[in-house]
Amino acid sequence: MKKKTVVKLLIIAAFCLIGVSINQSSADAASWHKGTPKVLRGTYQGKRTSSAEGFGYFYKIASKHYIIQYSNMSQIKTVNLKYKKLRTHVYRIVGHTQKSGMVLGGHSDSVLYRKGKLLLLTDYASYKKEKMNAFKYSLKNPAKKTTHIKDGGAIVHM
């Protein structure tokens, strides 16, 4: 009688292990999605860093592209986007930067952090190496959500 019970328990344990191993997912379970996340869309502007700038830098994030513009510089437009969520408030966005003026164009791999009205941006290589410390420089002059781009304004000394 004991042998039959032990055999039955071993069979049940084997089925349980097989069931658990089938239901496990990988650590990189986040999947890629087309476009940009809705939570990031909008216009964000930082403050000027010198009196030579006419306006502070800004980001315009739309559903299928995003634009980065610094005063007195060429506009950086990235298209063909896909994103995945890395952690709470942190998104990785991959796309193609279009050639424009001084901007050479090519592959773009960025990480954006948005919490409340603040948006921080860094490249994926820095984020992969330093995690949240990669945003340390951006925290000195974060971009804040706005409805329109403002000229002039305060100057932040970095």
Side-chain angles (χ1 to χ4, degrees), residues 80-103:
N80 299 332
L81 300 175
K82 63 180 181 178
Y83 74 93
K84 85 174 174 181
K85 189 171 185 173
L86 298 177
R87 62 183 350 175
T88 307
H89 307 295
V90 180
Y91 298 88
R92 179 180 179 190
I93 299 181
V94 176
H96 177 79
T97 301
Q98 294 179 336
K99 183 180 180 341
S100 169
M102 295 186 300
V103 179

Side-chain angles (χ1 to χ4, degrees), residues 35-36 41 62-66 78-81:
T36 59
R41 294 177 192 166
S63 63
K64 297 187 187 270
H65 69 273
Y66 71 89
T78 307
V79 296
N80 299 332
L81 300 175

